[in-house]
Amino acid sequence: MNDRMEQNLFKYIWSHSKRQQIWILIVVALSMPTYFLAFDIPKQIVNGPIQGGGFETPDATQKVMPVVVSNPFGDQSVTLFEGFEVGRMGALIALSLAFLGYVIINGWFKLYINTYKGRLGERMLRRLRYQLVDRVLRFPFPHYKRVRSSEIATMIKDEVDPLGGFIGEAFATPAFLVGQAGAALLFIMLQSWALGLVTLAILMVQTILIPKLRARLRRLALQRQLTARDLSGRVSEIVDGAIDIRLNDSTNFERADVADRLGRIFFIRFDFYQWKFMVKFINNFLAQFTPFVFYLGGGILAIRGNLDIGQLVAVIAAYKDLPGPIKELIDWDYQRLDVQVKYTQVVNAFDVSPLAPPLMQELQTDRVPHLEGPFVFRQVSAMDESGKTLLEGLDLTIDLRDDVAAVGATGDGAEVVGELIARLMAPSAGTLSVGAAPLASLPEWETGRRIGYVSPEPFFAHGTARDALLSGLRHAPFRPAPEDRAMSPLLMREATASGNPQFDRHADWVDYEAVGASTEEELATRITQVLAIVNLQEDFYAFGLRTKLSDATEGDSEEMFLNARRIFQERLTNGDNAADVEPFVLTQFNSQLTLFQNIVFGAASSPEMLPSEFPADSPLWNFLAGQELDRKLYRLGREASAVIVDLFGEVSENMKILERLDLIDPTKLQDYSAALGRTEGVDFANVVQMDQQRFIRVALNYNEPRHRLDLLTDELRDAMVTARMNFRENLPPEVAAEFSFHDPDEINPYASLQDNILFGRIVDSRAGAVDRVNALLREILEELGLSYAVLERGLKYEIGSGGRRLSLSQRQQLGLARVLLRRPEFLVVNRGLNALDNRTVERVVRGILDMSKSEAGGFGVLWITSTESQAALFDRVLKFSRGSLISDETAG
């Protein structure tokens, strides 16, 4: 099968839209007669009813709108239609209405043609983009290391975009424009062959000269495209490596590199604009030179009597419609060359060989066959792209139910075995089979479900943790979407017309059978088990406790969480550690809260309502002044700032301490130092508003147990409680609505789940308080059957693009959980948990091995590591050194 992309854009367009192109050409041909006839109407109006030609007497009549084809070289003419018999005024009205009718008909033709071209172009653009993405999904694995993702994305998104506008016009536009120009030129010829020949000569100069001048524009456009694409890739690299760049103090080199690239782009673009407008000047001059000839030459002919006034007016009117099509035709030719260059560039980037055959990735909803027999390596060697030997002459058999550890330093060959089984690389010599079949011959819909591979750098698309977990199960639309979300027949028809599959994105793509579940409840149980095995359950449980209750989860019941609160308070009060939590009491200051939180005694709906974010004109400032708190808070905030500046102002190494202190932004330390100097000895009333608010913000974020600057007095604590009682009454309703206040008998939707259940804050200063409270909280939630509800909230945590909001160890654990969830028949972990400590890894390994033996049918494990203690947990240990297997030992 030929998997090459068509290099010629016109052949590509014709092969996928032949019927549509033929139809639009037919419509273009049908539009030409009325377009031609419209040119003759102005001449008839001027010579007939306006000048009175043929209406010498008041009651004279004349036939109007005859269709006559005259011969400019002789007296003979052909009458196609006799016309209508009308008087002078009737002729004027009839001819004017006829002109309007032709305008409407020609406009309708143009509307239909343009709309049809637009739809056709968008369909073809959709087809092309889909084909490019399809090819990306079929690239050979090593090719992904050679391309930059940002460049691929730019080509698919931006560089093929101009093709959409051109594809619909590829055949119809030149035909339509040539037809219009030909009709106008023919009409001019029929009126005066001399003016027609002059017009033709100038048009020939335009159509030959302008494209030649634009050749340089095409070259510049290509350079602009390539340099812009390269800049996109470079910026992407800067974003991906920003942390390393800053840690190594190479930011200014990156600035120099970007400035150099921008300079090259500037001069290319400036040269392009200069040349573009010079060509435009020449083109406009030639377009305006023809009317000069008409006025001069046509005027002379009219004066001599060789051309009547009506003909001259008609010729000028016809020419008015001639430069437009000619200019558009020249522009179309330039666009044709430009998009062909773009298309060729894109095709060359995506024309990679060998692509995975489509059959390897076809949709498979039927039961996937099990793997048959062991993995057998026969004299297998492997090389990297530079030709370096990574593995040499390997003879090895691994049964599908074996638990095997492959030990070796990075580069010694152990990881190559895993990559070969996962088909991330192909043997350079020898054979690798699974049972009787070559491993390379198995389709991806079989290996992708039966073989699990975990790398040290798993990738996750932007979304939630649950999306990341289930991404390994989305093989096919196993169950249709609900009626209100299912793909409509119109969308299906458009997908087919554009060469896209009719896959319904909103169908249920999760393979429950692979999980060993048939319901959402069973899937939830399975997720919980897998997260526990990879030691990730507590992390997402903690995420869930920190979520706001306003982030509703379907099935959550406020009453259930209120019940959990009552049970928690009862057991805490009756236990020995009641002081572990400082409860929320309306009439008491809570030392575990910031001063602002004590005033609000609740939670804000959005970050904009927090002290560090609300603007200088916020009503909250007026409230503080009305409660006479502004002076007190200013004094506290200034004292805290002075201590921090004094301690850390000259020590840049303490940036991390400042970040943990979270009172002053480390990057603004000098601003605070300057503000302290400006306000030294100045009465509060004379301090500028910006500095007042600067120090008040510090005070509002102050928390004595955390910051320990010993600045809180009993007077200030009492003032906070008094202000709390007046807070909601003294704020404008629209501001008060942004807060939800703590109430012992109600859930606070803007507070975290943990705050709602504890209805207080853990006293961190008490030894072991955090562990004791969390254990009690977990016990109560499990008793009430709410554990998974909390975990599910944690799984809705947005992990960011590539999972970057998670730590590397969490990403590795999540990647392993994703594979375990679909129960592979053989699991390869290629140094997949190297970011975790050895003790945790060994605990995970034991859990996986227990799981592999308890699962129905069991599954095999190949664990690639450089740690002997991990290897000791497996029944069989392979040791590699310098690309060779040096030891194959079995336990016992």
Side-chain angles (χ1 to χ4, degrees), residues 768-842:
V770 174
D771 292 337
R772 289 192 297 270
V773 170
N774 285 339
L776 177 59
L777 183 59
R778 185 66 179 268
E779 175 187 316
I780 292 170
L781 291 173
E782 286 181 357
E783 288 177 9
L784 296 176
L786 292 174
S787 288
Y788 186 75
V790 177
L791 181 62
E792 188 176 28
R793 286 174 166 275
L795 289 174
K796 289 191 175 183
Y797 177 72
E798 292 284 343
I799 63 175
S801 178
R804 291 187 178 180
R805 293 188 68 195
L806 300 175
S807 66
L808 176 58
S809 59
Q810 288 173 329
R811 291 200 299 273
Q812 290 183 341
Q813 289 166 285
L814 189 62
L816 177 57
R818 173 174 59 184
V819 174
L820 289 175
L821 188 61
R822 61 179 170 86
R823 300 191 307 172
E825 291 186 354
F826 193 82
L827 172 67
V828 179
V829 182
N830 193 350
R831 310 186 196 277
L833 297 181
N834 58 10
L836 279 72
D837 64 272
N838 195 47
R839 182 179 298 179
T840 302
V841 174
E842 289 179 13

Side-chain angles (χ1 to χ4, degrees), residues 354-372:
L355 292 177
L359 288 176
M360 297 283 281
Q361 297 181 347
E362 68 178 0
L363 195 71
Q364 181 63 259
T365 56
D366 296 335
R367 187 177 182 83
V368 173
H370 295 284
L371 298 177
E372 299 289 342

